[in-house]
Amino acid sequence: MTKKRSERVLGEFSTRKTGNSLTLTVPKAAGVPAGKRFVLVAKDDGTLEYRAVHGNPWLDGEYDDIDFRAELNDVGNYGQQSPIGKERVDW
């Protein structure tokens, strides 16, 4: 199954000079949190594409608001239950 990509235009923006660099504004409507990291890819057709850097969710705060104890109570601790039937076979 092919995943459909949807795109939406959030506006047109101009670069600004900041020191020796150029800055490109990301509008709040994009939903990008402050401090999010991106890589810039220059394509063969001259297009510049920013791609989000996928970090470690344990370290970048993505899992900070998850109650893991409640999740364990809801779904159980897979692999820790006692064997039933012939799951445990001593060879």
Side-chain angles (χ1 to χ4, degrees):
M1 176 183 271
T2 304
K3 186 177 179 182
K4 247 187 191 179
R5 295 182 80 183
S6 63
E7 295 180 356
R8 59 188 175 128
V9 176
L10 298 175
E12 184 175 312
F13 306 94
S14 297
T15 57
R16 291 188 315 265
K17 182 121 171 95
T18 307
N20 291 328
S21 299
L22 294 175
T23 302
L24 191 60
T25 301
V26 177
K28 188 175 184 178
V32 177
K36 180 73 176 163
R37 296 180 331 145
F38 291 86
V39 293
L40 178 60
V41 178
K43 295 188 170 188
D44 291 339
D45 64 358
T47 303
L48 297 177
E49 181 177 295
Y50 283 92
R51 296 182 189 164
V53 173
H54 299 290
N56 185 335
W58 297 100
L59 300 176
D60 65 14
E62 187 176 336
Y63 292 163
D64 284 353
D65 61 345
I66 296 177
D67 184 355
F68 287 100
R69 182 59 53 200
E71 294 290 331
L72 281 174
N73 292 338
D74 184 37
V75 298
N77 197 352
Y78 179 77
Q80 300 299 317
Q81 58 272 49
S82 299
I84 301 171
K86 297 183 180 182
E87 289 93 354
R88 174 176 266 162
V89 178
D90 295 322
W91 296 92

